[in-house]
Amino acid sequence: MPLRGLCGIVLSISLLSSAFALDETESVIREAVNDGKKDALALLERAVNINSGTMNTDGVREVGKVFAAAFADAGFQTRWVDGTPFGRGGHLVAEHGSRGPKVLLIGHLDTVFAKDSSFQRFERVDETHAAGPGITDMKGGNVIILQAAKALDAAGVLDELQLRVILTGDEESRGRPLDLANAELIAAADWADIALGFEDGDGDPATAVTARRSSSEWQLTVTGKPAHSSQIFREDIGFGAALEAARILDGWRVALSAIPNLTFNPGLVMAGTDIDHDESNTRGSVFGKNNVIAQSAVITGGLRAISPEQIARAERLMGGIVDDNLAQTSATLSFNHGYPPMAPAEGNDELLKHYSAISEELGYGPVVAVDPRRAGAADISFVAGRVDAALDGLGLMGDGGHTVDEVADLSTLPRQTQRAAILLYRVARGDVSLPGK
């Protein structure tokens, strides 16, 4: 054989070998995950078949009991956090270990599908796909957390980590007040070194989430001078509430739309002579006449930003435009902050680097960061700023989340579990060097 051809064979073997550079323990972890596939699928089906729409608090608690029993069987200490003080079902906390790095693992029990939804059951679509409410968002992620821990235990390394699992019951619709709803998450974040979230990200196993945008609400209230419409634009009559509201919205569009990762959206718009705004149910009624200048306007919407600094900048810009009123009008703007941003951070990038390397060594290819515009707010948003590093989007992948077309790619269940378990193992043995450590 020509030397050039022999060199090519040697190079190919070398590359193949380096692509599967798992140590003995990691190989045991991988095989333990594979051996647990049947149990993982059975638990997933059982959990999906229990309706746990956020406001179905009994259903949320029932799914919590299923996972509490599963984590207890895996050697975890579990407890239930009652959600009554914040108007929700509650949270499940499972803990294991007393030495080694402290890692917070985040999932949630609730779904967007109400108790009366037509979409209620786990159903196989084909050999590698199954449909069901919350199958990817995110009961599949909860199963991955459990199966990763069991694989570490099978390899004899679970005790080298301190793990705290929090499965919240209000991720899809946050309980209020936030300080009570988030108390367990915040306490865990202050305890942890690293946080890992098991949402499904953008549904692509070649991606993970290093940054998420915030989710805030705003309300704009505008007042104008009522008069016959024929007199509009007179200096002493002015422009009315409807035109002032339109000016403000378009001013925001011009000022904000070119800022990367910053968006605002008017979701409800009302203007007229009389307005009845039902804030708690985000609806209202309006009376107005074509020949009367609108006296009132109410607009509500959302704001999403990539960092606290960007939120502050947006508020300054929006407030300045609100204050520059047209004649005979006035306006007020208020904000209600919900989910903070999971801001980009060096530690998050470092975690992704290791996670991607593990994926390549397993033969699954590299993993890159999701564009923050494609990653909504999530539980990890309340945590990321309090830990040295955070990574999300490690859950079961699929399509159609938040719709009756939600389908999981079941082939990603063992894949995602192997990646997560080996990442935890490498954190335990000190391979992951974080900024400031």
Side-chain angles (χ1 to χ4, degrees), residues 370-398:
V370 173
D371 183 339
R373 289 290 297 268
R374 297 178 63 85
D379 281 328
I380 202 167
S381 301
F382 293 104
V383 168
R386 296 173 175 266
V387 294
D388 297 320
L391 188 65
D392 200 0
L394 309 184
L396 180 61
M397 299 300 177

Short mmCIF file of all heavy atoms in Angstrom, two decimals, residues 370-398:
data_model
loop_
_atom_site.label_atom_id
_atom_site.label_comp_id
_atom_site.label_asym_id
_atom_site.label_seq_id
_atom_site.Cartn_x
_atom_site.Cartn_y
_atom_site.Cartn_z
N VAL A 370 -27.45 28.57 22.05
CA VAL A 370 -28.67 29.03 21.41
C VAL A 370 -28.64 30.56 21.32
O VAL A 370 -28.19 31.24 22.25
CB VAL A 370 -29.90 28.60 22.24
CG1 VAL A 370 -31.18 29.22 21.70
CG2 VAL A 370 -30.02 27.09 22.25
N ASP A 371 -29.13 31.09 20.22
CA ASP A 371 -29.35 32.53 20.13
C ASP A 371 -30.35 32.93 21.21
O ASP A 371 -31.43 32.35 21.30
CB ASP A 371 -29.94 32.85 18.74
CG ASP A 371 -30.14 34.34 18.52
OD1 ASP A 371 -30.21 35.11 19.49
OD2 ASP A 371 -30.28 34.72 17.34
N PRO A 372 -30.03 33.91 22.08
CA PRO A 372 -30.95 34.30 23.15
C PRO A 372 -32.34 34.69 22.65
O PRO A 372 -33.31 34.59 23.41
CB PRO A 372 -30.25 35.49 23.81
CG PRO A 372 -28.80 35.27 23.52
CD PRO A 372 -28.76 34.63 22.15
N ARG A 373 -32.45 35.13 21.40
CA ARG A 373 -33.76 35.47 20.86
C ARG A 373 -34.65 34.24 20.73
O ARG A 373 -35.86 34.35 20.59
CB ARG A 373 -33.61 36.14 19.49
CG ARG A 373 -33.05 37.55 19.52
CD ARG A 373 -34.05 38.54 20.11
NE ARG A 373 -35.27 38.65 19.32
CZ ARG A 373 -35.47 39.53 18.36
NH1 ARG A 373 -34.52 40.39 18.06
NH2 ARG A 373 -36.60 39.57 17.71
N ARG A 374 -34.04 33.03 20.76
CA ARG A 374 -34.79 31.79 20.61
C ARG A 374 -34.97 31.06 21.95
O ARG A 374 -35.47 29.94 21.98
CB ARG A 374 -34.08 30.87 19.61
CG ARG A 374 -34.00 31.45 18.21
CD ARG A 374 -33.24 30.52 17.28
NE ARG A 374 -33.92 29.23 17.14
CZ ARG A 374 -34.89 28.97 16.28
NH1 ARG A 374 -35.32 29.95 15.47
NH2 ARG A 374 -35.44 27.78 16.20
N ALA A 375 -34.58 31.71 23.03
CA ALA A 375 -34.67 31.09 24.36
C ALA A 375 -35.48 32.00 25.27
O ALA A 375 -35.04 33.08 25.63
CB ALA A 375 -33.28 30.86 24.93
N GLY A 376 -36.68 31.56 25.65
CA GLY A 376 -37.51 32.34 26.55
C GLY A 376 -37.01 32.29 27.98
O GLY A 376 -36.03 31.61 28.30
N ALA A 377 -37.70 32.99 28.84
CA ALA A 377 -37.34 33.00 30.26
C ALA A 377 -37.64 31.64 30.88
O ALA A 377 -38.50 30.90 30.41
CB ALA A 377 -38.11 34.10 30.98
N ALA A 378 -36.93 31.30 31.96
CA ALA A 378 -37.11 30.01 32.63
C ALA A 378 -36.66 30.13 34.07
O ALA A 378 -36.09 31.14 34.49
CB ALA A 378 -36.34 28.92 31.89
N ASP A 379 -36.87 29.04 34.83
CA ASP A 379 -36.49 29.05 36.25
C ASP A 379 -35.04 29.43 36.46
O ASP A 379 -34.70 30.11 37.44
CB ASP A 379 -36.73 27.66 36.85
CG ASP A 379 -38.20 27.41 37.17
OD1 ASP A 379 -38.89 28.36 37.52
OD2 ASP A 379 -38.62 26.24 37.08
N ILE A 380 -34.15 28.98 35.57
CA ILE A 380 -32.72 29.24 35.78
C ILE A 380 -32.41 30.73 35.74
O ILE A 380 -31.37 31.17 36.25
CB ILE A 380 -31.88 28.47 34.73
CG1 ILE A 380 -30.45 28.28 35.25
CG2 ILE A 380 -31.93 29.15 33.37
CD1 ILE A 380 -29.63 27.30 34.45
N SER A 381 -33.32 31.53 35.18
CA SER A 381 -33.10 32.97 35.13
C SER A 381 -32.99 33.58 36.52
O SER A 381 -32.26 34.55 36.72
CB SER A 381 -34.25 33.64 34.37
OG SER A 381 -34.37 33.15 33.05
N PHE A 382 -33.72 33.02 37.50
CA PHE A 382 -33.65 33.53 38.86
C PHE A 382 -32.37 33.11 39.58
O PHE A 382 -32.04 33.62 40.64
CB PHE A 382 -34.85 33.02 39.67
CG PHE A 382 -36.17 33.57 39.20
CD1 PHE A 382 -37.02 32.77 38.45
CD2 PHE A 382 -36.55 34.86 39.48
CE1 PHE A 382 -38.25 33.26 38.00
CE2 PHE A 382 -37.76 35.36 39.04
CZ PHE A 382 -38.61 34.56 38.30
N VAL A 383 -31.65 32.17 38.99
CA VAL A 383 -30.52 31.52 39.65
C VAL A 383 -29.17 31.96 39.09
O VAL A 383 -28.19 32.09 39.82
CB VAL A 383 -30.69 29.98 39.50
CG1 VAL A 383 -29.43 29.25 39.90
CG2 VAL A 383 -31.90 29.50 40.28
N ALA A 384 -29.13 32.17 37.77
CA ALA A 384 -27.85 32.28 37.06
C ALA A 384 -26.93 33.34 37.62
O ALA A 384 -25.71 33.15 37.68
CB ALA A 384 -28.12 32.54 35.57
N GLY A 385 -27.46 34.47 38.05
CA GLY A 385 -26.62 35.54 38.56
C GLY A 385 -26.04 35.28 39.94
O GLY A 385 -25.22 36.06 40.42
N ARG A 386 -26.43 34.18 40.57
CA ARG A 386 -25.99 33.88 41.93
C ARG A 386 -25.00 32.71 42.00
O ARG A 386 -24.55 32.36 43.10
CB ARG A 386 -27.22 33.57 42.81
CG ARG A 386 -28.16 34.75 42.98
CD ARG A 386 -29.44 34.34 43.70
NE ARG A 386 -30.30 35.48 43.96
CZ ARG A 386 -30.32 36.19 45.09
NH1 ARG A 386 -29.51 35.84 46.08
NH2 ARG A 386 -31.11 37.21 45.25
N VAL A 387 -24.71 32.08 40.88
CA VAL A 387 -23.79 30.94 40.86
C VAL A 387 -22.58 31.27 40.00
O VAL A 387 -22.58 32.25 39.25
CB VAL A 387 -24.50 29.67 40.34
CG1 VAL A 387 -25.59 29.23 41.30
CG2 VAL A 387 -25.07 29.89 38.93
N ASP A 388 -21.55 30.44 40.09
CA ASP A 388 -20.34 30.68 39.31
C ASP A 388 -20.55 30.39 37.83
O ASP A 388 -19.88 30.97 36.98
CB ASP A 388 -19.20 29.80 39.83
CG ASP A 388 -18.83 30.14 41.27
OD1 ASP A 388 -18.81 31.35 41.60
OD2 ASP A 388 -18.57 29.23 42.06
N ALA A 389 -21.47 29.47 37.52
CA ALA A 389 -21.73 29.11 36.13
C ALA A 389 -23.09 28.45 36.03
O ALA A 389 -23.55 27.79 36.96
CB ALA A 389 -20.65 28.15 35.61
N ALA A 390 -23.74 28.64 34.89
CA ALA A 390 -25.05 28.05 34.66
C ALA A 390 -25.18 27.64 33.21
O ALA A 390 -24.62 28.28 32.30
CB ALA A 390 -26.16 29.05 35.02
N LEU A 391 -25.90 26.55 32.99
CA LEU A 391 -26.14 26.05 31.64
C LEU A 391 -27.54 25.46 31.62
O LEU A 391 -27.93 24.73 32.54
CB LEU A 391 -25.11 24.99 31.25
CG LEU A 391 -25.10 24.51 29.80
CD1 LEU A 391 -24.73 25.64 28.84
CD2 LEU A 391 -24.12 23.34 29.64
N ASP A 392 -28.30 25.75 30.57
CA ASP A 392 -29.68 25.27 30.47
C ASP A 392 -29.89 24.64 29.10
O ASP A 392 -28.98 24.60 28.27
CB ASP A 392 -30.64 26.44 30.69
CG ASP A 392 -32.04 26.00 31.10
OD1 ASP A 392 -32.29 24.78 31.21
OD2 ASP A 392 -32.89 26.88 31.30
N GLY A 393 -31.10 24.14 28.88
CA GLY A 393 -31.42 23.51 27.60
C GLY A 393 -30.84 22.12 27.50
O GLY A 393 -30.52 21.67 26.39
N LEU A 394 -30.75 21.40 28.63
CA LEU A 394 -30.14 20.07 28.64
C LEU A 394 -31.18 18.96 28.65
O LEU A 394 -30.85 17.80 28.85
CB LEU A 394 -29.24 19.92 29.87
CG LEU A 394 -28.21 21.03 30.11
CD1 LEU A 394 -27.33 20.68 31.30
CD2 LEU A 394 -27.36 21.28 28.87
N GLY A 395 -32.44 19.31 28.39
CA GLY A 395 -33.52 18.35 28.53
C GLY A 395 -33.83 17.55 27.28
O GLY A 395 -33.07 17.54 26.31
N LEU A 396 -34.97 16.87 27.32
CA LEU A 396 -35.44 16.05 26.20
C LEU A 396 -35.84 16.96 25.04
O LEU A 396 -36.55 17.94 25.23
CB LEU A 396 -36.64 15.22 26.65
CG LEU A 396 -37.28 14.29 25.62
CD1 LEU A 396 -36.29 13.26 25.11
CD2 LEU A 396 -38.52 13.62 26.22
N MET A 397 -35.40 16.61 23.85
CA MET A 397 -35.61 17.47 22.69
C MET A 397 -36.83 17.02 21.87
O MET A 397 -37.26 15.87 21.94
CB MET A 397 -34.36 17.48 21.81
CG MET A 397 -33.13 18.02 22.51
SD MET A 397 -33.39 19.73 23.06
CE MET A 397 -31.86 20.05 23.92
N GLY A 398 -37.35 17.96 21.10
CA GLY A 398 -38.51 17.67 20.25
C GLY A 398 -39.03 18.93 19.62
O GLY A 398 -38.31 19.93 19.48
#
